[in-house]
């Protein structure tokens, strides 16, 4: 009976190490993803606002890459349109850095 309790405890401990029952780990990942998305969106918004100003125009400096025109797949019954464009700017990178700093301080 005593040996069975040790085996069950060891199995639960292994499951915790794998992250199956570790809610804190999944909660931390969700918070990190939300903070990163907020950092990218707010950084891009600040960059687009600062793009017209003289002193902070450098925040909007960046590169856009992806599909310039969407890819259309027409199957007769269903038409699928695929497109992806990513814009990386200085303000977006600063927003991501601020989000990572906020996550570290949590």
């Amino acid at each position: 009976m005593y040996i069975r309790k040790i085996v069950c405890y060891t199995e639960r401990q292994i499951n915790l190490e794998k992250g199956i029952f570790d809610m804190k780990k999944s909660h931390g990942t969700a918070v990190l993803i939300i903070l990163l998305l907020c950092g990218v969106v707010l950084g891009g918004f600040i960059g687009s606002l600062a793009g017209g100003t003289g002193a902070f125009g450098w925040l909007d400096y960046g590169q856009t890459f992806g599909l310039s025109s969407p890819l259309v797949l027409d199957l007769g019954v269903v038409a699928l349109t695929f497109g992806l464009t990513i814009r990386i700017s200085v303000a977006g990178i600063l927003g991501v850095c601020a989000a990572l700093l906020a996550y570290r301080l949590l």
Side-chain angles (χ1 to χ4, degrees), residues 91-104:
I93 293 171
L94 290 176
V96 168
C97 291
L100 289 174
L101 181 66
Y103 181 73
R104 290 280 297 200

Side-chain angles (χ1 to χ4, degrees), residues 7-57:
V7 171
C8 291
Y9 179 74
T10 306
E11 288 174 5
R12 180 168 170 82
Q13 190 177 24
I14 291 171
N15 288 336
L16 284 173
E17 289 176 4
K18 289 181 182 177
I20 295 173
F21 296 110
D22 194 6
M23 295 302 289
K24 184 178 180 184
K25 183 177 180 181
S26 64
H27 176 71
T29 305
V31 170
L32 177 63
I33 291 172
I34 290 170
L35 282 175
L36 286 176
L37 287 175
C38 289
V40 167
V41 170
L42 288 175
F45 180 70
I46 291 171
S48 66
L49 285 178
T53 63
F56 296 107

Side-chain angles (χ1 to χ4, degrees), residues 72-82:
V72 179
L73 178 63
D74 190 5
L75 300 174
V77 177
V78 177
L80 300 172
T81 305
F82 300 101

